[in-house]
Amino acid sequence: MVVNELVSDDGAWDGARYLREVLRAPVYEAAEHTPLQVMEALSERLGSTVEVKREDLQSVHSFKIRGAYTSMRALGEAERERGVVTASAGNHAQGVARSAALLGMRAVIVMPSVTPLIKVDAVRALGGEVLLYGDSFDVAQAEALRLARAEGLTYVPPFDDPRVIAGQGTIGLEMIQQDARIDRIFVPVGGGGLVSGIAVLVKQLMPAVEVIGVEHEESACLRAALAAGRPVDLERVGLFAEGVAVRRVGRETFRLCSALLDDVVTVSSDEVSAAVKDLFEDLRAVPEPSGAIGLAGLKRHAATHGLRGERLACVLSGANLNFHQLRYISERSELGEQREAILGVTIPEVQGEFLRFAAVLGGRSVTEFNYRLDAGGGGRARIFVGVRLSHGRRERTAIVGDLERAGYDVVDLTDDELAKVHVRSMIGGRASAQLRERLFSFEFPESPGALMRFLEVLGTRWNITLFHYRTDGADYGRILTAFEAGPEDAELAEHMDRLGYAYHEETGNPAAVFFLGR
């Protein structure tokens, strides 16, 4: 249990000031008092009562309306007349636009030019003046701050602002009013505004209730800040859960989180996808990935600590989902629940071998089976196989053991990101023994013509020996490509750095070596 020790520092709000501002926040002029619903099936499965705070039911389908309205409602008459500006590609943009409409204010929303049209149209429908600028949030934010100075507009920050934090804190107040016996609350963390607001309220009124932040493992800026003792920039953030894809936690939110949180949990895309499936099956809710992060963290924490018989609550923070992303989420949810194993297996290319292979699996259901004759000869086949699991990781280990005892070479690829994103879609044989190549994966902002622009930037200096492009409906595309080059080619690595895209060298990745290498 964390005891509240939040004190004023250089004029910052102390715990008492935050409590007063949360209690006075005028959120219900714009927001709904959302239900706290029990997930019956998951509660039975985990042996604890699991409750979900349904912030997806707000008018803008996320909690962001609370903080945006609280901050904008406090503006003076002159500030209201001039209007506000913000930068956002997601839920904050809609919260500011909706708040401005209610308050009769002008709102300029700077959005990256690669923002999907569905989100742009949603902000415009709420009355926001959309300015598409730059190809990233950082560039859009810089333009928003420039407009604030040039036109006298008030910048509305997405999370690192006391009044925004106080507005989000009303969620915590509702939760302890709806269930005064909650033991732990799990909250998604992006920049930290939501978890700070809930923590500062809950720790003032019910300090025995644990408040636990949950981050995606590819954007864990709070965990990095806690390790460093100060906010730091992440070198790279993953965009699967774009609502929490923040490079640097806020200064004020870090002050609150470091003083008030009981723990911080990180979760994977597979675990988030499994949580999305849980929410659909139990409540028929369809959250965006960042909206399901709290539940993913709840499940991981409960499993890690063997929790039973407790009352566990989480915040479903948003449901502004790109529909096409559901394909990816559905595919990954089985892996997140440890209900599927993905294996690379070498088998003899002889009649009846698949039947023997299936017999070793002991009647388990095969979910996927791909192979091609090994280019190295020797009458072997490289198999990419998915197997349905009933008993999670323990059963997966047993299957690998059974196959190895039967004489098969096995590589467990269940936790291999490259295998799950690219390789399973492009099984087609390995490279010839004479080919020298290096393999790279990229992420880049998705928009019409984005792939062509990527290829133009990539250039023609090196021969491309492999190329796979995949988009899962998110705001970014994924590419796996190989170049004819050796490890001594320093110029290639320098070229990768100059491209300006997030990338990783995958030459030694187990899935790539097994299925695609020489």
Side-chain angles (χ1 to χ4, degrees):
M1 178 186 75
V2 170
V3 178
N4 178 34
E5 296 291 345
L6 188 66
V7 295
S8 179
D9 178 24
D10 297 329
W13 291 9
D14 61 11
R17 174 71 184 277
Y18 266 110
L19 176 60
R20 184 166 65 252
E21 295 299 330
V22 172
L23 295 175
R24 296 172 55 191
V27 296
Y28 302 111
E29 296 174 6
E32 301 295 327
H33 190 294
T34 56
L36 184 68
Q37 296 181 339
V38 175
M39 297 182 67
E40 301 287 355
L42 185 59
S43 296
E44 183 175 352
R45 204 164 86 219
L46 297 186
S48 291
T49 300
V50 177
E51 300 175 304
V52 179
K53 183 64 170 167
R54 294 291 305 275
E55 285 299 290
D56 59 311
L57 298 178
Q58 295 291 355
S59 61
V60 295
H61 306 294
S62 89
F63 72 96
K64 288 287 189 177
I65 184 69
R66 295 178 185 257
Y69 188 84
T70 301
S71 177
M72 293 165 63
R73 180 73 160 71
L75 296 177
E77 183 175 344
E79 293 171 309
R80 291 195 191 190
E81 288 180 357
R82 289 192 295 269
V84 298
V85 63
T86 195
S88 172
N91 296 338
H92 179 61
Q94 295 183 54
V96 170
R98 173 62 176 161
S99 298
L102 292 171
L103 294 168
M105 299 165 56
R106 178 192 180 203
V108 179
I109 316 294
V110 185
M111 309 182 81
S113 59
V114 296
T115 303
L117 186 60
I118 187 173
K119 295 183 178 182
V120 174
D121 289 345
V123 173
R124 285 176 174 154
L126 292 167
E129 298 178 24
V130 175
L131 172 62
L132 297 176
Y133 189 90
D135 61 359
S136 70
F137 171 76
D138 290 338
V139 176
Q141 184 181 49
E143 176 64 10
L145 293 171
R146 188 195 69 78
L147 286 173
R149 294 188 297 269
E151 301 186 19
L153 303 172
T154 298
Y155 181 73
V156 183
F159 50 81
D160 201 24
D161 175 83
R163 294 200 185 278
V164 170
I165 292 168
Q168 321 301 24
T170 58
I171 297 174
L173 179 61
E174 291 177 18
M175 292 179 78
I176 60 175
Q177 289 174 333
Q178 290 165 317
D179 184 356
R181 296 180 296 148
I182 291 176
D183 294 300
R184 306 169 203 250
I185 300 175
F186 296 82
V187 189
V189 179
L194 176 61
V195 72
S196 295
I198 290 176
V200 75
L201 183 284
V202 170
K203 290 299 181 180
Q204 290 283 317
L205 300 181
M206 298 181 67
V209 176
E210 291 192 3
V211 180
I212 298 168
V214 186
E215 296 186 288
H216 192 280
E217 63 185 10
E218 294 182 354
S219 56
C221 60
L222 175 56
R223 182 173 288 277
L226 292 171
R230 58 182 175 81
V232 294
D233 288 332
L234 296 178
E235 182 178 341
R236 173 182 176 274
V237 295
L239 299 176
F240 168 67
E242 62 173 338
V244 293
V246 176
R247 190 176 298 274
R248 182 186 181 99
V249 73
R251 181 174 180 271
E252 175 68 357
T253 55
F254 174 71
R255 183 177 77 94
L256 270 62
C257 288
S258 59
L260 302 175
L261 294 190
D262 293 274
D263 198 1
V264 179
V265 179
T266 58
V267 294
S268 68
S269 295
D270 291 349
E271 290 171 310
V272 173
S273 297
V276 171
K277 182 180 178 184
D278 288 327
L279 287 162
F280 174 76
E281 290 184 342
D282 239 324
L283 302 178
R284 293 300 184 265
V286 185
E288 60 191 278
S290 60
I293 277 184
L295 180 59
L298 182 157
K299 291 169 61 183
R300 172 177 273 244
H301 192 81
T304 300
H305 296 276
L307 303 183
R308 306 284 293 183
E310 294 201 5
R311 300 188 71 81
L312 310 174
C314 65
V315 181
L316 195 173
S317 56
N320 288 302
L321 176 72
N322 187 330
F323 179 79
H324 298 290
Q325 205 172 5
L326 283 172
R327 178 182 62 182
Y328 175 87
I329 292 170
S330 176
E331 184 178 276
R332 300 294 286 264
S333 63
E334 295 292 289
L335 296 167
E337 284 287 2
Q338 294 292 319
R339 293 177 181 172
E340 183 183 25
I342 292 178
L343 307 173
V345 185
T346 303
I347 69 172
E349 179 64 21
V350 296
Q351 186 174 356
E353 190 60 35
F354 179 48
L355 182 59
R356 175 175 175 263
F357 173 82
V360 175
L361 294 178
R364 296 181 180 91
S365 175
V366 174
T367 59
E368 186 167 359
F369 186 83
N370 297 311
Y371 84 96
R372 184 175 174 93
L373 188 67
D374 193 332
R380 298 174 300 168
R382 297 274 181 164
I383 306 300
F384 186 101
V385 61
V387 182
R388 184 84 64 195
L389 302 177
S390 301
H391 303 291
R393 192 177 297 272
R394 176 166 51 87
E395 184 180 7
R396 184 172 120 200
T397 302
I399 291 172
V400 171
D402 290 344
L403 291 170
E404 289 176 337
R405 282 188 291 273
Y408 297 116
D409 292 330
V410 184
V411 179
D412 188 346
L413 302 174
T414 310
D415 298 322
D416 190 303
E417 190 71 10
L418 187 71
K420 291 180 285 191
V421 174
H422 291 289
V423 172
R424 75 186 307 166
S425 301
M426 57 182 299
I427 304 302
R430 306 175 77 202
S432 68
Q434 290 75 37
L435 180 66
R436 299 172 74 248
E437 64 180 358
R438 292 172 66 180
L439 190 66
F440 296 86
S441 62
F442 293 88
E443 288 184 0
F444 64 96
E446 182 63 273
S447 64
L451 178 59
M452 181 59 67
R453 286 195 297 273
F454 174 84
L455 292 172
E456 290 170 350
V457 172
L458 195 63
T460 58
R461 165 70 175 75
W462 289 270
N463 180 44
I464 294 176
T465 58
L466 174 152
F467 196 89
H468 180 247
Y469 168 61
R470 172 169 177 156
T471 179
D472 52 33
D475 298 347
Y476 61 102
R478 301 177 179 206
I479 283 177
L480 181 70
T481 187
F483 302 93
E484 189 170 1
E488 74 284 353
D489 192 336
E491 189 179 348
L492 176 59
E494 293 171 1
H495 183 68
M496 295 298 103
D497 291 334
R498 289 196 299 268
L499 286 177
Y501 295 109
Y503 80 92
H504 289 285
E505 181 158 6
E506 307 281 8
T507 306
N509 178 278
V513 171
F514 192 84
F515 285 109
L516 308 173
R518 291 187 291 165

